[in-house]
Amino acid sequence: MRTIKLTLAYDGAAYAGWQVQSQDTSIQQVLEAAIAKITGEPIRVTASGRTDAGVHALGQVVAFRTRTRLAPPVLQRALNAALPRDIAVLDACEAPEGFHATLSAKRKRYRYLIHDGPVRDVFRRGTAWHCPRGLDAEAMHRAAQSLLGTHDFSSFQTQGSPRKTPVRTIYDISVRRGFDGDPHLVAVEIEADGFLYNMVRTIVGSLARVGLHARSEGWIAEVLAARDRRAAGPTAPPHGLFLVEVKYD
């Protein structure tokens, strides 16, 4: 048996998230069906982590065990021919013995896009949260720095996926305007050793309150210290969120 590692990009708009659902179509379901069609085997893939309905990926990592003799580049081409146009295999390779897409991951990086132009951008309606009032991105960036390091992030998680501990380490967090050359596009990027359920979206929703000057820059540190979800801001909608990269080294 071989372990094949795939790196995927997908537009999550049409799916009920990553994980197989009883009624709605998921990305995992579509991918497993494509792999089974090509290999002739019933396949169950493991991902670096679940993405929710409407969330996108630029670098989701999955792995599966197989007896197929197809070389990874051949498998990649076959999968891209079989998959719908909103899912693509960016890379395929043979993983070392013992590799696990979830348990072997060391860090993940997410990006959240906010469009704060006065008029909505119809071409970004599925990939950026529209906030028609201008945001103070510099204030958001300064406030976000209080989240760096190892903390209990209970204030920034919602119910739905229990974890052994709410403690996580954020290695990098930034807020910058002008992403992709668009002066109205604000990007929030966060890299951590792991994320609680809706952690990125709750951080973004809270930072947006600072960006609107509805809260002070010091408020984010207060929310963190509270360890209570009720202290934080709203959960930002899913369609602005992208899983950018998963690191294993």
Side-chain angles (χ1 to χ4, degrees):
M1 293 283 281
R2 307 157 67 200
T3 299
I4 301 296
K5 173 186 171 186
L6 305 177
T7 303
L8 306 178
Y10 50 79
D11 180 340
Y15 300 95
W18 163 260
Q19 191 175 20
V20 170
Q21 308 284 326
S22 59
Q23 296 180 335
D24 299 317
T25 303
S26 73
I27 295 157
Q28 181 184 8
Q29 173 189 346
V30 172
L31 178 62
E32 288 177 348
I35 297 172
K37 179 180 179 181
I38 292 163
T39 65
E41 303 170 288
I43 293 291
R44 178 66 70 183
V45 302
T46 302
S48 69
R50 304 171 187 173
T51 52
D52 291 334
V55 175
H56 317 293
L58 303 175
Q60 172 71 285
V61 174
V62 306
F64 62 95
R65 299 276 288 167
T66 179
R67 292 185 175 85
T68 183
R69 295 184 179 181
L70 292 174
V74 175
L75 186 59
Q76 179 186 6
R77 289 194 294 271
L79 284 172
N80 281 332
L83 288 166
R85 296 182 67 182
D86 50 8
I87 305 175
V89 179
L90 304 179
D91 183 67
C93 64
E94 196 151 353
E97 187 65 30
F99 176 81
H100 192 283
T102 310
L103 301 179
S104 300
K106 303 300 183 185
R107 298 187 183 192
K108 296 178 187 176
R109 190 172 190 89
Y110 279 91
R111 176 184 301 142
Y112 195 98
L113 297 180
I114 307 172
H115 183 267
D116 69 348
V119 178
R120 65 183 178 274
D121 183 337
V122 297
F123 297 106
R124 292 195 181 274
R125 67 188 183 278
T127 58
W129 177 23
H130 182 227
C131 295
R133 292 171 55 194
L135 296 170
D136 185 340
E138 293 181 356
M140 292 168 67
H141 177 79
R142 291 190 296 268
Q145 303 315 297
S146 63
L147 301 177
L148 284 170
T150 303
H151 305 283
D152 180 330
F153 284 95
S154 294
S155 291
F156 298 99
Q157 73 169 337
T158 57
Q159 299 298 317
S161 184
R163 304 292 189 197
K164 291 181 179 179
T165 173
V167 175
R168 297 290 186 273
T169 301
I170 291 183
Y171 299 103
D172 182 60
I173 183 167
S174 65
V175 183
R176 62 188 177 98
R177 178 176 296 283
F179 181 81
D180 205 21
D182 186 337
H184 291 301
L185 205 56
V186 175
V188 181
E189 295 215 8
I190 308 176
E191 184 170 313
D193 61 356
F195 292 88
L196 304 172
Y197 187 59
N198 282 338
M199 179 172 158
V200 175
R201 290 167 55 194
T202 307
I203 288 174
V204 171
S206 300
L207 289 174
R209 301 297 292 158
V210 175
L212 292 169
H213 295 159
R215 293 286 188 172
S216 69
E217 294 178 24
W219 175 67
I220 295 296
E222 295 173 5
V223 172
L224 178 66
R227 301 181 183 181
D228 185 340
R229 175 63 185 87
R230 293 170 295 182
T235 303
H239 62 273
L241 184 60
F242 294 77
L243 173 58
V244 175
E245 183 182 11
V246 184
K247 298 179 179 180
Y248 290 90
D249 297 323

